[in-house]
């Protein structure tokens, strides 16, 4: 739809992706380096680094396209007609029943073939 907008990449996208990668590396290495610190502080630091990396990534053309995709997916999910609890329960019971029937048929076939092979082999 927006061919011109999608084809036009920023000159600094590569730099932004390098910053994102550097933030991830710093977060992982820092988590290992500060392993003796309480887990709460390390998790909070990782969350901060993840949020900053995500914000930088959203500034790239691919990041903006991903954000648009998320918004469109949310709109499509709202259009879905979800089954009721009763429909879900009935469908689940039907699936379980069919699986049991097929399992019994396969068990019977396996037993029959095993018995035939034992007769032939002796």
């Amino acid at each position: 739809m927006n061919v011109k907008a999608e084809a036009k990449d920023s000159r600094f996208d590569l730099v932004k992706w390098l910053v994102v990668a550097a933030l991830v590396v710093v977060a992982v290495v820092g988590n290992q380096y500060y392993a003796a610190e309480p887990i709460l502080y390390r998790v909070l630091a990782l969350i901060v680094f993840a949020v900053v990396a995500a914000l930088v990534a959203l500034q790239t053309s691919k990041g903006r396209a991903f954000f648009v995709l998320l918004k469109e997916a949310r709109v499509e999910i709202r259009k879905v007609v979800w089954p009721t609890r009763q429909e879900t329960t009935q469908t689940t019971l039907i699936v379980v029943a069919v699986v049991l029937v097929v399992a019994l048929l396969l068990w019977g076939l396996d037993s029959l073939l095993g018995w035939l092979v034992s007769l032939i082999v002796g």
Side-chain angles (χ1 to χ4, degrees):
M1 291 170 37
N2 294 334
V3 177
K4 292 181 182 178
E6 290 178 12
K8 190 175 183 181
D9 290 340
S10 173
R11 295 183 310 174
F12 298 110
D13 275 357
L14 179 62
V15 174
K16 292 174 186 175
W17 284 117
L18 290 174
V19 169
V20 169
L23 285 170
V24 170
V25 168
V26 166
V28 170
V29 171
N31 190 39
Q32 292 294 324
Y33 183 76
Y34 292 107
E37 297 299 319
I39 189 91
L40 176 65
Y41 298 145
R42 294 188 349 228
V43 168
L44 289 175
L46 286 174
I47 290 172
V48 168
F49 273 99
V51 168
V52 172
L55 290 174
V56 173
L58 285 175
Q59 302 305 314
T60 65
S61 62
K62 296 287 185 187
R64 285 188 294 272
F66 180 72
F67 188 69
V68 169
L69 175 71
L70 287 180
K71 288 195 314 189
E72 291 173 356
R74 187 173 180 189
V75 168
E76 290 299 320
I77 286 177
R78 288 183 180 175
K79 294 179 185 178
V80 172
V81 178
W82 297 101
T84 63
R85 185 176 184 93
Q86 181 183 5
E87 291 171 337
T88 305
T89 303
Q90 289 174 347
T91 304
T92 302
L93 291 175
I94 290 170
V95 168
V96 168
V98 169
V99 166
L100 286 174
V101 168
V102 170
L104 288 172
L105 287 172
L106 289 174
W107 172 73
L109 184 62
D110 181 54
S111 298
L112 177 68
L113 291 175
W115 179 73
L116 289 173
V117 168
S118 68
L119 284 177
I120 294 170
V121 173

